[in-house]
């Protein structure tokens, strides 16, 4: 697996930063700089805009910048593919029932890695490590249809109180634009 880092940071093949530290060391140092100027913003866990965003974990998606969001505006739930899994439903249920969100935005994107693999990945893992993962890969071939499926999973969940404002989008990684998906 190749790790990509900004061009300003050189790494060796094992992910260590050339100056002797690891990527995690770099992150901890960055946190120390951040914390030295940090002031408590005085907010709680309830998102100001009462929205939860479910999106892919792809590093090319800067959700706050793309959506014009500030710290405290939303709950952000990310996983491979932005798939609405049982754990996403768990997080959305807590977000709505305990922290006041009302709207849900689902964001998949062009060029997703889940389009390039299949459920056979689980079999490959089983062959390698001797144990089959309990989770599904949730691979897909049609990003628009996968967004529709995610919207349907949210809208039909008995645990969610607010399923009337659920909208799905595909983020174009080349243009930065969102394209809304018709749920039908």
């Amino acid at each position: 697996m190749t790790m990509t880092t900004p061009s300003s940071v050189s790494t060796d093949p094992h992910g260590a930063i050339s100056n002797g530290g690891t990527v995690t060391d770099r992150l901890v140092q960055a946190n120390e700089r951040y914390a030295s100027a940090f002031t408590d913003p005085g907010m709680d866990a309830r998102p100001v805009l009462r929205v939860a965003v479910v999106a892919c974990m792809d590093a090319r998606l800067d959700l706050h910048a793309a959506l014009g969001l500030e710290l405290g505006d939303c709950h952000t739930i990310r996983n491979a593919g932005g798939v609405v899994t049982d754990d996403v439903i768990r997080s959305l249920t807590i977000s709505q029932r305990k922290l006041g969100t009302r709207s849900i935005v689902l964001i998949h994107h062009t060029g997703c890695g889940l389009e390039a693999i299949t459920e056979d990945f689980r079999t490959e893992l089983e062959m390698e490590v001797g144990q089959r993962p309990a989770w599904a890969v949730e691979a897909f071939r049609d990003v628009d249809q996968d967004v529709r499926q995610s919207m349907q999973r949210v809208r039909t969940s008995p645990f969610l109180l607010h399923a009337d404002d659920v909208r799905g989008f595909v983020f174009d990684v080349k243009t930065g634009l969102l394209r809304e998906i018709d749920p039908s």
Side-chain angles (χ1 to χ4, degrees), residues 56 79-85 108 112-124 135-147 149-150 153:
C56 185
N79 67 22
V83 176
V84 176
T85 61
H108 287 37
C112 184
L114 285 186
E115 293 175 289
I117 62 175
T118 68
E119 292 298 321
D120 290 339
F121 180 64
R122 294 172 69 219
T123 303
E124 294 166 13
W135 40 263
V137 175
E138 298 275 357
F140 57 87
R141 295 284 174 254
D142 181 338
V143 68
D144 290 18
Q145 182 55 34
D146 202 59
V147 171
Q149 176 178 290
S150 291
R153 286 179 177 175

Side-chain angles (χ1 to χ4, degrees), residues 77-79 83-94:
I77 304 161
R78 295 180 80 158
N79 67 22
V83 176
V84 176
T85 61
D86 286 345
D87 193 59
V88 168
I89 293 295
R90 178 186 73 85
S91 294
L92 289 171
T93 301
I94 293 166

